[in-house]
Amino acid sequence: MLKIVLAYSGGLDTSFCVKYLTEQGYEVHALTVDTGGFSADELREMEQRALSLGAASYRSIDVTDDYYRECLRYLVYGNCLRYQTYPMSVSAERMFQALATARYAVEIDADGVAHGSTGAGNDQVRFDLAFELSGKELEIITPIRDLKLSRQEEVDFLAKHGLQWPEKKGTYSINAGLWGTSVGGAETLTSDTSLPDDAWPVPVTETEARKLDIHFTEGQITGFDDRTFVGQVAAIRALEELAAPFGVGRDIHVGDTIIGIKGRVGFAAAAAVLIIKAHHLLEKHTLGKWQLFWKEQLSNWYGMMLHEGQFLDPVMRDVEAFLESSQATVNGTVHLTLHPHRFTLDGITSDDDLLGAGFGSYGEMNNGWTGDDVRGFTKILSVPGRIRNSVHQKKDA
């Protein structure tokens, strides 16, 4: 009997995998890798379900702190939003779940690993890559991908084995984590329809505007308003709890999958979006133009590499070193206002604010130079253009 580790989320796909693989004669060890999306009650329920479906064992591993330290903070440093929209909530966490699954398979001397990805998305590539790079020859088993099953077929299969899957859970694919929750359903399979209100994980209950101050030290959130936290994970969770009922950070992302097709998914990521947007504003006040320019180029590329499962490539560590070195002066408080379904960035307060350096006020007054200085400066700047004009005029004569 082959011993395998199943990356188990407790959802429909991986619940199907437990039952199906045990029926195929595998010894299934279910592993849940928590990246900040599960409560203690949910983990207990998942354990009971996995064991009742025939898993030989169940284990959960919390990697949330590692996930923030080794990945999410760089997404903040880089202001990473895929296609200027999506904070890569699933893209980032899948790599950490896959890597932890691979390590656990090696630890218990398993013969193989399994995951519940379909053949049409990104996760299959991320999991397969992590397993291929585990350092051990592991058989990779993917029932949903290989059998090309619909969600309804999975629901029917589980029903035949005594597990009635809740109707709503059968309709929507929900993935919760520290950096946001993704929502997939029939509406995201086409281009013309939005998700209904009841599909979102947290209803909008706030109706009045609220001021919010987010505090940063060297590019990392340390707290908000009068609250400080021991560690960024606690700050992110508290900010999500505060902001999610406003309905901010919700959107539908349309992007290119690793395998080349377009994909569409809803996401609710109040804390992630607020932190990235606030951090970006603070950087515009505290960094120079070439820092901002090169950060934008490298950060966009870093996000693409992470999205496509290339987190382990050594060049990612090189880019992370650059991003971290840029954060020494990204300190201060960003002032925001939360409204139902939107927010505004009102301004910042920072001892590192370059706007108030005293050399001048944009469009108003210059204190560090004279008009003659600018005339000379612009005359030198014009030299390359004047040379081109001279050469072209001679050729046209």
Side-chain angles (χ1 to χ4, degrees):
M1 179 181 290
L2 288 179
K3 180 180 182 180
I4 63 170
V5 173
L6 169 67
Y8 180 69
S9 68
L12 176 61
D13 294 331
T14 55
S15 293
F16 170 89
C17 287
V18 175
K19 190 63 181 178
Y20 176 80
L21 290 171
T22 56
E23 285 197 342
Q24 298 301 305
Y26 291 101
E27 180 185 304
V28 179
H29 297 267
L31 176 73
T32 299
V33 182
D34 186 3
T35 51
F38 302 116
S39 67
D41 288 342
E42 287 171 327
L43 290 171
R44 281 192 292 270
E45 180 183 338
M46 289 160 61
E47 178 178 14
Q48 292 170 0
R49 183 183 305 139
L51 295 176
S52 69
L53 288 169
S57 73
Y58 173 85
R59 183 178 174 187
S60 64
I61 300 174
D62 189 340
V63 299
T64 311
D65 289 331
D66 293 339
Y67 174 43
Y68 174 80
R69 184 179 62 255
E70 297 176 22
C71 182
L72 291 186
R73 68 186 177 110
Y74 297 110
L75 297 184
V76 176
Y77 294 164
N79 307 307
C80 292
L81 293 171
R82 183 158 171 77
Y83 294 167
Q84 292 78 54
T85 302
Y86 177 47
M88 296 190 290
S89 313
V90 176
S91 314
E93 70 177 19
R94 282 294 185 265
M95 284 308 302
F96 277 76
Q97 291 167 339
L99 291 169
T101 302
R103 287 193 298 269
Y104 184 63
V106 172
E107 178 187 327
I108 69 170
D109 197 27
D111 303 296
V113 281
H115 60 84
S117 304
T118 71
N122 295 313
D123 291 342
Q124 58 178 330
V125 178
R126 296 170 184 141
F127 275 105
D128 284 9
L129 272 173
F131 297 159
E132 293 285 1
L133 296 172
S134 67
K136 181 181 179 181
E137 292 294 326
L138 293 167
E139 180 182 354
I140 300 174
I141 304 159
T142 55
I144 308 298
R145 177 170 66 184
D146 297 341
L147 297 172
K148 298 182 179 179
L149 295 172
S150 69
R151 292 182 65 79
Q152 189 57 52
E153 287 174 315
E154 296 174 52
V155 170
D156 293 343
F157 174 85
L158 290 174
K160 289 179 182 177
H161 291 83
L163 179 60
Q164 298 298 321
W165 201 257
E167 182 178 349
K168 183 176 180 180
K169 287 188 177 182
T171 303
Y172 294 99
S173 177
I174 309 292
N175 184 90
L178 179 67
W179 210 228
T181 299
S182 67
V183 183
E187 296 85 357
T188 59
L189 298 178
T190 61
S191 303
D192 60 343
T193 310
S194 184
L195 288 163
D197 287 342
D198 64 357
W200 298 105
V202 177
V204 176
T205 55
E206 295 291 345
T207 58
E208 301 295 328
R210 184 200 191 281
K211 295 291 186 181
L212 174 68
D213 290 340
I214 301 180
H215 313 301
F216 291 90
T217 299
E218 295 187 354
Q220 299 191 71
I221 182 174
T222 55
F224 56 86
D225 294 341
D226 60 352
R227 301 178 64 183
T228 57
F229 297 87
V230 178
Q232 280 67 41
V233 169
I236 293 167
R237 283 176 166 151
L239 182 59
E240 181 71 25
E241 183 179 359
L242 167 71
F246 283 88
V248 299
R250 286 181 178 183
D251 207 340
I252 294 183
H253 167 60
V254 182
D256 293 282
T257 64
I258 304 169
I259 57 177
I261 63 175
K262 292 286 185 181
R264 190 168 184 252
V265 66
F267 67 89
V273 171
L274 289 173
I275 291 168
I276 287 174
K277 290 295 187 180
H279 175 268
H280 188 207
L281 176 61
L282 185 59
E283 280 196 329
K284 288 193 286 186
H285 281 263
T286 59
L287 296 184
K289 69 176 180 179
W290 294 119
Q291 286 178 298
L292 291 167
F293 175 85
W294 285 111
K295 277 185 77 274
E296 185 175 347
Q297 315 312 309
L298 287 174
S299 298
N300 187 47
W301 184 84
Y302 181 88
M304 176 68 78
M305 288 285 282
L306 177 63
H307 169 78
E308 303 217 340
Q310 297 294 335
F311 180 74
L312 294 179
D313 193 295
V315 73
M316 298 290 277
R317 310 293 82 78
D318 299 330
V319 177
E320 288 164 0
F322 168 82
L323 292 174
E324 185 160 21
S325 74
S326 70
Q327 298 300 295
T329 61
V330 186
N331 306 300
T333 297
V334 181
H335 312 297
L336 308 90
T337 303
L338 301 179
H339 304 268
H341 298 290
R342 67 183 180 92
F343 65 93
T344 58
L345 296 167
D346 302 326
I348 70 109
T349 302
S350 172
D351 291 339
D352 294 297
D353 187 359
L354 300 176
L355 182 63
F359 279 70
S361 298
Y362 178 65
E364 298 291 338
M365 181 62 66
N366 53 293
N367 299 324
W369 59 89
T370 67
D372 287 338
D373 292 333
V374 178
R375 290 188 186 93
F377 175 67
T378 52
K379 191 172 187 67
I380 296 299
L381 281 179
S382 74
V383 168
R386 288 158 54 204
I387 291 173
R388 287 194 301 272
N389 290 342
S390 175
V391 170
H392 293 157
Q393 287 167 2
K394 290 177 181 178
K395 289 174 62 177
D396 294 340

